[in-house]
Amino acid sequence: MANQTQKTIIVTGASSGIGQGIAIAFGRQGANVVVNYHGDEEGAQSTLDQLIAAGGQGFIHQADVSKEEEVKALFARTKQKYQTLDVLINNAGIQKDSSFANMSLDEWNKVISTNLTGHFLCAREAIQEFEYKNASGAKGVAIGNIIFISSVHDLIPWAGHVNYASSKGGLLMLMKSLALEVAPKKIRVNAISPGAIATDINEEVWSDEESRKKLIELIPYQRIGEPEDVAKVAVWLAGEDSDYITGTTIYVDGGMTLYPGFVDNG
Ligand code: BGC
């Protein structure tokens, strides 16, 4: 695995769950990690402590990724401290579940603003920096990397979660269209789509015995994932060993996207 030493990485939504796992994994590589968080400062501080203990360095920065000015400030501070940026992990995401008929405009807007618009705003700042770095025509491996942390629900329809699934479906085309646009500039853009990973977002499901059993029926590999499962893939996908990969989604889902209902049916 290519070493991330001295690489500078922003991880959005890094105060818990998958974002926290990814930030710590990059810390283990000796990277500079900017730990973005929205509301949970304590969680962000714990991420930072853990990634420093693992051999990295960094700082925490509060920003709502759906707010243009706050995103600009996050990137400006990163450049001020570390001169440039190498990798953006666009991870921040929320769920606001509701049946369709009862879904409020606020529940729709909040999810789209964080999961889709927020990813656009952060990616745009990263691309501007990468294009600036590439102004002299870089050769060799990629000069910049963006990884969108999406979901199996960029593919699997999800009743009762139309806002969330729509945001992830949108991310798929955001990722691919952007990858196409910037590939000649030696910028790579990919996605990781996790399945059921045990984090705060789905705690209600995995912490209850009955619903946990039902969830495992949807996972051919028969276990719920851990943030570390995603983090390892993110480190590899942001490194030189995967340099020829762009515009791709890697499903880290224990086979959830394999239509598990068809194992003895159809
Ligand atoms: C959601 C989780 C869910 C998983 C599998 C994720 O994107 O955030 O709540 O358990 O997809 O359905």
Side-chain angles (χ1 to χ4, degrees):
M1 185 184 299
N3 201 288
Q4 306 290 327
T5 304
Q6 282 167 3
K7 283 204 169 168
T8 297
I9 287 134
I10 294 178
V11 186
T12 66
S15 53
S16 69
I18 293 172
Q20 181 173 68
I22 292 175
I24 296 167
F26 276 103
R28 228 173 268 133
Q29 303 289 314
N32 305 321
V33 186
V34 180
V35 177
N36 158 254
Y37 69 100
H38 182 208
D40 180 8
E41 186 177 349
E42 217 175 289
Q45 189 56 51
S46 153
T47 304
L48 183 64
D49 293 347
Q50 292 181 66
L51 78 86
I52 290 174
Q57 48 281 311
F59 60 85
I60 66 170
H61 184 97
Q62 195 278 336
D64 176 343
V65 294
S66 71
K67 304 263 163 58
E68 189 171 19
E69 290 315 310
E70 296 184 24
V71 169
K72 282 183 184 298
L74 165 69
F75 282 75
R77 184 168 166 210
T78 302
K79 277 189 275 177
Q80 200 177 39
K81 173 104 173 116
Y82 296 121
Q83 288 75 53
T84 188
L85 177 74
D86 301 293
V87 179
L88 166 65
I89 308 286
N90 240 335
N91 167 75
I94 55 169
Q95 275 182 231
K96 299 241 171 258
D97 309 330
S98 166
S99 68
F100 192 72
N102 291 315
M103 187 173 287
S104 67
L105 179 59
D106 191 53
E107 284 165 335
W108 172 266
N109 281 340
K110 280 221 166 87
V111 169
I112 299 293
S113 305
T114 300
N115 298 10
L116 187 56
T117 310
H119 283 224
F120 154 70
L121 288 171
C122 292
R124 193 183 56 178
E125 292 303 310
I127 292 292
Q128 285 171 3
E129 174 62 15
F130 296 160
E131 289 191 350
Y132 169 76
K133 275 210 285 190
N134 187 48
S136 54
K139 299 216 167 34
V141 296
I143 48 103
N145 242 294
I146 297 180
I147 300 176
F148 292 91
I149 305 300
S150 184
S151 165
V152 289
H153 298 296
D154 61 3
L155 206 62
I156 303 176
W158 205 11
H161 309 257
V162 167
N163 48 359
Y164 184 84
S166 301
S167 71
K168 299 300 185 178
L171 270 189
L172 184 63
M173 273 298 144
L174 167 54
M175 180 277 288
K176 281 180 181 275
S177 302
L178 176 58
L180 177 62
E181 188 169 326
V182 300
K185 295 173 175 159
K186 305 226 69 112
I187 301 167
R188 296 168 52 212
V189 182
N190 292 288
I192 297 175
S193 286
I197 309 296
T199 67
D200 295 350
I201 212 169
N202 53 5
E203 186 174 356
E204 220 177 286
V205 183
W206 55 260
S207 60
D208 172 77
E209 203 183 326
E210 201 46 39
S211 44
R212 188 186 173 90
K213 251 176 71 191
K214 273 177 70 187
L215 178 60
I216 288 181
E217 282 169 20
L218 297 176
I219 310 171
Y221 205 58
Q222 304 271 294
R223 75 164 169 87
I224 295 171
E226 298 295 334
E228 189 58 22
D229 289 311
V230 180
K232 285 181 201 159
V233 178
V235 169
W236 174 76
L237 193 54
E240 294 180 6
D241 287 352
S242 61
D243 192 59
Y244 204 48
I245 299 179
T246 196
T248 291
T249 299
I250 299 182
Y251 290 89
V252 181
D253 68 347
M256 200 174 223
T257 40
L258 295 174
Y259 297 93
F262 277 77
V263 70
D264 56 1
N265 208 340

